[in-house]
Structures are given as structure tokens and as C-alpha cells.
């Protein structure tokens, strides 16, 4: 049995890299690299993580609190489609002086929270807006329905956001799994309801907000799907159109060693600039790679269709609930 365990551990350590990843790894860690030992340690550490643990790793990078954790967070758009090699490249880029320290801190968090990491399965999928609502709900709740435990109000210190998942994990142990699941479901339903109402109010009166949401959605999908050839052509077109500077293009291409990181770096810059520049990127994608543009547009339309369907279902459920309440009141009145 021990021999079998060793064999599978070795197999996990030697995850096969694609041709593209092999090329990226050679760029990240050339044979003469003085930091080769650190980079090989990082590669092995990330390869030893299960896929679910890689999700948790991304979560801890995304929600880091600099004053508490000692390192700044990485934006969601940079992590959304990042695999192990992309994460390795980001760690070296974002934390050059303390790459190993940051990695070790996150690995400790993952291993020490084993019994409660399932809480992250819900939070890891939340977007920044949804997470903000969830944090707001946690802060404003004095006592949770159906729970004997009071939820303490947590002050937001120094403008930092409260880490909702960490708060849940601190307050509830794995022994109370059933109770925590109930709480999380209530929070998720409340979050969905707030977001649904926000969607209904903002769409008719704010077409700009709807446009921005659509463009951002397409660019997040673009990170995953764009080829390196299209990306390089796009960067040149954006420089010619004065959307990017030559030095910004150089930064995107030279600081990042993987295709996903190059694409997410560009998207991060565009998100900072605003919806107008984001639309220019989409316009150039349309000219350079019509097939990719069609794919992005189709995916976006499918997403919006699912959202509209969900909003209709939610509205129908609420209406049915009101009808049932009305019928009960009529019955009580008749009695």
C-alpha cells in the first residue's frame, strides 16, 4: 500500500505539461537561472495541489488583506483562468522579494482549513460585486434565522473589506456543518435577491451599466480563448490606435510569460481605463479574429439568456408565494 501511495504521489508530481506550457516554463526558468531552485520548488508545490486546492489558492490570493497577511491581493480578472503555471508566473511577478513566503502562507492556510475549505466552494465562485453584497449582509446581521449563535458586527478597518469566508470559518467549526450550510444558503439566496433587484432596476434606466457588464464579460472570456498570435496582433493595433502605449505593450509581453497572463494583464489595464477603451479592444478583436469575436459574442448572449431566465423564474416564484399568501389570508377571513 505504501508503495502504491508513493507511486501516485510521484505521478501527481509529474503532471504533464502541454507544448505551450513547456515553452512557457523554459522562459520562466531557463537553465542558467540563478533562482532555478526557488522556481522548481514553486512548480512542485503547485503541482502537488489537487484541482480544488488550486481554487483555494486563487481565492487566498484574491482576498488577501495586506495589513493582516503581509501581501497585497491580486485582482480577480488576473486569477479567473489562471492554472498552476499561470499562478507560478504571477507569484514571481507580484511578490518578487517574498515569493516563497507568500506561497508558504497560503499553503498553510489551505492545509490548516481542511475541514472547512468546503465553505470556499460557494465563495470562490462569487464575483467582486456578489462578494461585496455577501460581506455587507454578514456585517449587518445581528442574529441569523434558525441559528442560536449571534453574528457579531465586524467593523471595516482602514477601508479594508471583511473576508466573508474567513469570518464564516472563524465562527463555525466543521462540527456545525449542517448549521453553516443553512446560513450559507440563506446568504446566497439573499445575495441573489439583492442582485436580481439591482439587475431589474439598473437595466432600464442605465444602458451604460448593461453595456459595461457585457463588455467586461466578453473580455473575461477573451482571457481564456485568445491565441498568442491574435493577442500580439491586437496589442500592435491598440498601440497604433493610441489605446495602449508602446511601453505598456512591452510590459504585457515581457513581464508575463504565459498566454493567459499576457491576456489578463491587458484586460486588467483596460478595466482600469473604463468601458470606452474596453469596447475598442472588442472592436479590434472583431477585425483581427472574427471567429474569436463570434465565439465571445455567442457565449455572452448565452450567459445573458441564462440570467434573464433566472430572473423570470425568481419573479415567478415570488409571485406564486404572494398568491399562496393571499389564498391563505382569504381562507382565514372566510373562517
Amino acid at each position: 500500500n505504501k508503495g502504491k501511495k508513493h507511486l501516485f504521489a510521484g505521478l501527481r508530481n509529474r503532471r504533464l505539461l502541454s507544448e505551450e506550457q513547456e515553452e512557457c516554463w523554459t522562459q520562466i526558468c531557463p537553465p542558467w537561472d540563478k533562482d532555478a531552485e526557488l522556481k522548481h520548488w514553486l512548480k512542485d508545490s503547485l503541482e502537488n495541489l489537487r484541482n480544488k486546492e488550486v481554487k483555494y489558492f486563487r481565492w487566498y490570493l484574491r482576498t488577501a488583506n495586506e495589513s493582516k497577511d503581509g501581501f497585497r491581493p491580486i485582482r480577480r480578472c488576473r486569477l479567473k483562468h489562471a492554472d498552476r503555471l499561470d499562478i507560478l508566473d504571477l507569484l514571481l511577478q507580484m511578490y518578487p522579494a517574498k515569493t516563497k513566503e507568500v506561497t508558504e502562507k497560503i499553503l498553510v492556510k489551505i492545509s490548516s482549513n481542511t475541514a472547512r475549505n468546503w465553505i470556499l466552494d460557494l465563495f470562490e465562485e462569487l464575483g467582486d460585486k456578489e462578494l461585496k453584497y455577501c460581506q455587507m449582509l454578514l456585517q449587518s446581521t445581528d442574529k441569523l434565522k434558525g441559528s442560536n449563535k449571534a453574528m457579531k458586527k465586524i467593523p471595516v478597518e482602514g477601508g479594508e473589506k471583511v473576508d466573508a469566508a474567513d469570518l464564516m470559518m472563524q465562527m463555525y467549526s466543521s462540527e456545525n456543518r449542517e448549521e453553516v450550510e443553512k446560513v450559507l444558503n440563506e446568504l446566497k439566496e439573499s445575495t441573489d435577491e439583492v442582485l436580481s433587484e439591482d439587475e431589474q432596476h439598473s437595466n432600464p434606466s442605465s444602458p451604460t451599466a448593461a453595456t459595461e457588464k457585457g463588455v467586461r464579460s466578453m473580455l473575461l472570456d477573451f482571457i481564456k480563448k485568445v491565441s498568442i498570435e491574435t493577442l500580439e496582433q491586437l496589442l500592435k493595433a491598440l498601440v497604433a490606435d493610441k489605446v495602449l502605449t508602446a511601453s505598456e505593450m512591452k510590459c504585457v509581453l515581457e513581464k508575463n510569460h504565459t498566454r493567459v497572463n499576457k491576456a489578463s494583464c491587458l484586460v486588467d489595464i483596460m478595466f482600469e481605463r473604463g468601458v470606452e477603451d474596453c469596447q475598442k479592444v472588442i472592436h479590434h478583436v472583431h477585425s483581427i479574429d472574427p471567429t474569436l469575436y463570434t465565439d465571445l459574442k455567442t457565449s455572452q448572449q448565452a450567459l445573458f439568456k441564462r440570467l434573464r431566465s433566472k430572473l423570470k423564474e425568481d419573479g415567478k416564484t415570488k409571485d406564486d408565494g404572494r398568491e399562496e399568501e393571499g389564498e391563505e389570508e382569504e381562507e382565514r377571513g372566510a373562517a
Side-chain angles (χ1 to χ4, degrees), residues 72-172:
R72 66 186 185 279
I74 298 177
R75 287 181 184 146
R76 181 175 178 248
C77 68
R78 302 232 55 192
L79 291 165
K80 184 172 173 63
H81 298 297
D83 64 15
R84 290 169 178 81
L85 199 59
D86 302 316
I87 292 169
L88 185 154
D89 189 33
L90 282 173
L91 287 166
L92 292 165
Q93 183 187 143
M94 302 296 287
Y95 315 111
K98 49 184 177 182
T99 310
K100 189 168 185 177
E101 181 190 337
V102 170
T103 305
E104 285 177 334
K105 280 184 178 181
I106 295 176
L107 291 175
V108 167
K109 281 190 177 193
I110 291 170
S111 61
S112 63
N113 285 333
T114 309
R116 297 174 293 178
N117 272 340
W118 58 273
I119 294 175
L120 296 182
D121 292 339
L122 181 140
F123 284 96
E124 198 270 339
E125 297 301 324
L126 295 179
D128 293 334
K129 191 174 181 182
E130 290 95 329
L131 182 59
K132 187 179 174 185
Y133 276 120
C134 219
Q135 288 163 338
M136 178 188 75
L137 289 164
L138 281 170
Q139 285 177 280
S140 62
T141 305
D142 287 319
K143 194 168 183 180
L144 293 162
K145 293 176 186 176
S147 171
N148 296 322
K149 298 185 179 183
M151 176 72 83
K152 294 175 185 175
K153 287 190 178 181
I154 307 295
V156 181
E157 296 176 6
E160 296 289 344
K161 290 180 182 177
V162 175
D163 186 337
D166 270 0
L167 178 58
M168 292 298 295
M169 287 189 287
Q170 287 164 25
M171 294 190 63
Y172 298 95

Side-chain angles (χ1 to χ4, degrees), residues 62 74-82 128 216 220 223 260 263-265 267-269 271:
R62 178 186 158 200
I74 298 177
R75 287 181 184 146
R76 181 175 178 248
C77 68
R78 302 232 55 192
L79 291 165
K80 184 172 173 63
H81 298 297
D128 293 334
R216 287 174 75 92
L220 285 173
I223 294 169
V260 165
S264 70
C265 183
V267 169
D268 193 25
I269 293 168
F271 279 2

Side-chain angles (χ1 to χ4, degrees), residues 120-236:
L120 296 182
D121 292 339
L122 181 140
F123 284 96
E124 198 270 339
E125 297 301 324
L126 295 179
D128 293 334
K129 191 174 181 182
E130 290 95 329
L131 182 59
K132 187 179 174 185
Y133 276 120
C134 219
Q135 288 163 338
M136 178 188 75
L137 289 164
L138 281 170
Q139 285 177 280
S140 62
T141 305
D142 287 319
K143 194 168 183 180
L144 293 162
K145 293 176 186 176
S147 171
N148 296 322
K149 298 185 179 183
M151 176 72 83
K152 294 175 185 175
K153 287 190 178 181
I154 307 295
V156 181
E157 296 176 6
E160 296 289 344
K161 290 180 182 177
V162 175
D163 186 337
D166 270 0
L167 178 58
M168 292 298 295
M169 287 189 287
Q170 287 164 25
M171 294 190 63
Y172 298 95
S173 70
S174 57
E175 295 168 7
N176 303 316
R177 179 162 182 153
E178 191 178 331
E179 186 179 53
V180 179
E181 283 180 341
K182 186 177 180 182
V183 170
L184 287 172
N185 285 331
E186 285 184 13
L187 284 170
K188 190 173 186 299
E189 284 168 15
S190 300
T191 306
D192 287 344
E193 189 175 331
V194 174
L195 288 170
S196 297
E197 286 173 5
D198 181 66
E199 189 87 23
Q200 287 167 339
H201 291 318
S202 64
N203 276 352
S205 58
S206 180
T208 308
T211 301
E212 184 175 357
K213 188 172 182 178
V215 169
R216 287 174 75 92
S217 169
M218 285 179 77
L219 286 180
L220 285 173
D221 201 23
F222 160 89
I223 294 169
K224 183 181 177 182
K225 295 175 177 176
V226 68
S227 68
I228 192 67
E229 295 79 16
T230 296
L231 184 59
E232 287 173 355
Q233 288 180 59
L234 175 63
L235 287 165
K236 288 174 185 173

Side-chain angles (χ1 to χ4, degrees), residues 210-211 213-215 217-219 221-222 225 279 282-283 285-286 289-305 308:
T211 301
K213 188 172 182 178
V215 169
S217 169
M218 285 179 77
L219 286 180
D221 201 23
F222 160 89
K225 295 175 177 176
Q279 285 175 312
I282 299 296
H283 172 74
V285 169
H286 191 189
D289 193 338
T291 305
L292 173 61
Y293 174 82
T294 303
D295 188 3
L296 297 176
K297 198 74 180 169
T298 304
S299 298
Q300 183 209 27
Q301 286 166 347
L303 174 66
F304 280 173
K305 190 175 180 181
R308 279 196 298 270

Side-chain angles (χ1 to χ4, degrees), residues 283-328:
H283 172 74
H284 282 293
V285 169
H286 191 189
S287 304
I288 295 164
D289 193 338
T291 305
L292 173 61
Y293 174 82
T294 303
D295 188 3
L296 297 176
K297 198 74 180 169
T298 304
S299 298
Q300 183 209 27
Q301 286 166 347
L303 174 66
F304 280 173
K305 190 175 180 181
R306 286 198 302 273
L307 286 172
R308 279 196 298 270
S309 174
K310 186 180 183 305
L311 286 172
K312 282 179 184 176
E313 284 173 18
D314 289 346
K316 189 178 178 185
T317 304
K318 286 176 189 175
D319 290 341
D320 289 346
R322 288 193 196 103
E323 282 175 18
E324 284 174 13
E325 284 173 15
E327 285 169 8
E328 283 173 10

